[in-house]
């Protein structure tokens, strides 16, 4: 696609307030493919003003009509799926098949789910002698990451629109072209002017201006825990609501009764997907001591199938590549055993990292505690179920996880004791209606389904 040289504000593309631009780089070949405007605080102010002006009309729009508009947006995303997938591949580096099935496909499911929810959700309820009204929070500042550039946008914008909120989106500077495509889809779907607005730019400038803006009622952010703390502090100072989806260090717990070969194979696939750039990836594989050596061999064989440049794409940037390679070097330095991969770049061009598996990882090692955000798996040995639970819960994060056992009830019993927001049982399938979000330092609030919609609503009670 051809990049826009302006911002989508008030239902039209407007020139940016400042002259600076951001280069968009294809991480597979390191070539600049486009430039987008680097938004300023003035651009953010224009967008927030447009959203504020559009709020009364959109909030008063009947839910059934809001549902129809979201359904129209979903239909445009379906029609433009190929273009979306190609754009994601160009700016993120994801293999085209992954871009088609996940990056373009999942947002369609999510948008569709909110079209249905907006039409069926009860925005008022009766309790005793009171009527409780569920009303839109107001103007939403949405700040999204680069790893799932359309899904993360839709997961915030669709429920906000369903609730009757208006939105200003500041997408990640690494992947702004997909956000521009989304703005085109919003326009094509016929949403009223100002209901959705887009400002591209850098986090410390446009992102900070959006989070701090006095006319933004809720900030929804997905990204690192460190930045999430900053946004939380900014929003807290203004007494505004926040929804934070942050980091993860999820445990993949393989209980002794499980199908070990299947659990290891699916576990490796989970981490390698999207080049390991997934906050909920099961990056710690916990295996019973009696099955550990077999699991290491299975993991080595499984990861060998992920060939850089073919089945697995690059990381998003040179900065991210260096960061992940640094973690691999740290793992070696702290005594973990390298089973596959390593810090050396597998290809001369592109921000690739070798799919890497570590064995003999202990729970206190850096690679077992910190989010790496790359194709790196740590195999950790446990003595018994209590030991496995201690290790699984032994990080500051609590976003996701997995449990495998021959008896589903056994897996569920273990999952109930995990301090994490979402657990897949024996490879459970993605559910766009299930709430997603974290415990501990993995965030505040939930996305997807009715729980995601409720983040954008506030309550008013009428006593009779």
């Amino acid at each position: 696609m051809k990049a826009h040289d302006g911002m989508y504000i008030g239902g039209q593309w407007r020139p940016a307030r400042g002259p600076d631009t951001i280069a968009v780089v294809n991480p597979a070949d390191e070539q600049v493919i486009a430039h987008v405007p680097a938004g300023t605080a003035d651009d953010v102010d224009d967008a927030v003003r447009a959203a504020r002006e559009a709020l009364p009309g959109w909030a008063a729009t009947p839910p059934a009509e809001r549902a129809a508009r979201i359904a129209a947006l979903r239909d445009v995303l379906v029609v433009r799926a190929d273009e979306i997938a190609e754009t994601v591949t160009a700016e993120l580096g994801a293999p085209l098949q992954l871009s088609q099935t996940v990056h373009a496909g999942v947002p369609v499911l999510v948008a569709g789910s909110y079209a249905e929810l907006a039409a069926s959700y009860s925005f008022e309820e009766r309790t005793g002698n009171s009527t409780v009204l569920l009303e839109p929070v107001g103007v939403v500042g949405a700040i999204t990451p680069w790893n799932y550039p359309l899904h993360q946008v839709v997961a915030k914008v669709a429920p906000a629109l369903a609730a009757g909120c208006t939105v200003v989106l500041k997408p990640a500077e690494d992947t702004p072209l997909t956000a521009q495509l989304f703005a085109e889809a919003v326009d094509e779907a016929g949403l009223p002017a100002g209901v959705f607005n887009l400002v591209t730019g850098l986090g410390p400038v446009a992102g900070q201006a959006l989070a701090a803006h006095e006319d933004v009622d809720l900030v929804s952010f997905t990204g690192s825990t460190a930045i999430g703390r900053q946004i939380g502090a900014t929003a807290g100072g203004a007494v505004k609501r926040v929804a934070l989806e942050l980091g993860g260090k999820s445990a993949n717990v393989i209980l002794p009764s499980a199908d070990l070969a299947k659990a290891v194979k699916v576990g490796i696939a989970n981490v390698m997907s999207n080049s390991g750039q997934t906050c909920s990836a099961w990056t710690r594989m916990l295996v019973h001591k009696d099955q550990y050596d077999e699991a290491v061999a299975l993991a080595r064989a499984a990861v060998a199938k992920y060939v850089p440049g073919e089945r697995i794409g690059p990381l998003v940037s040179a900065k991210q590549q260096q960061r992940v390679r640094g973690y691999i070097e740290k793992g070696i330095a702290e005594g973990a055993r390298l089973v596959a991969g390593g810090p050396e770049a597998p290809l001369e061009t592109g921000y690739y990292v070798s799919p890497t598996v570590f064995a003999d990882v202990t729970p206190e090692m850096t690679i077992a505690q910190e989010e790496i955000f790359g194709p790196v798996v740590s195999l950790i040995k446990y003595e018994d179920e209590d030991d496995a639970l201690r290790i699984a819960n032994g990080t500051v994060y609590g976003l996701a996880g997995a449990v495998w056992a021959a008896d589903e009830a056994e897996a569920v019993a273990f999952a109930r004791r995990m301090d994490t927001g979402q657990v897949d049982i024996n490879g459970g399938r993605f559910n766009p209606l299930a709430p997603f979000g974290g415990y501990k330092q993995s965030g505040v609030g939930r996305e997807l389904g009715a729980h995601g919609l409720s983040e954008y609503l506030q309550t008013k009670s009428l006593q009779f």
Side-chain angles (χ1 to χ4, degrees), residues 315-385:
L315 300 188
V316 72
S317 65
K319 178 182 178 181
Q320 190 67 12
Q321 181 193 43
Q322 289 302 113
R323 179 178 185 273
V324 173
R325 290 170 68 182
Y327 272 111
I328 296 172
E329 291 169 351
K330 186 79 168 178
I332 295 170
E334 291 185 359
R337 174 163 55 97
L338 195 62
V339 172
E344 297 79 14
L347 298 173
E348 291 184 3
T349 303
Y351 307 131
Y352 292 91
V353 170
S354 295
T356 298
V357 174
F358 279 109
D360 302 340
V361 178
T362 57
E364 70 277 2
M365 287 182 179
T366 301
I367 59 172
Q369 288 292 320
E370 297 184 11
E371 185 175 42
I372 298 173
F373 227 61
V376 182
V377 181
S378 296
L379 271 74
I380 303 174
K381 186 186 303 183
Y382 68 84
E383 295 286 328
D384 53 30
E385 281 199 19

Side-chain angles (χ1 to χ4, degrees), residues 44 47-48 51 139-143 166-170 195 197-199 210:
V44 170
V48 173
V139 174
V140 173
I143 303 174
T166 56
V167 181
V168 178
L169 170 67
K170 205 298 286 183
V195 168
N197 307 273
L198 170 68
V199 176
L210 184 58

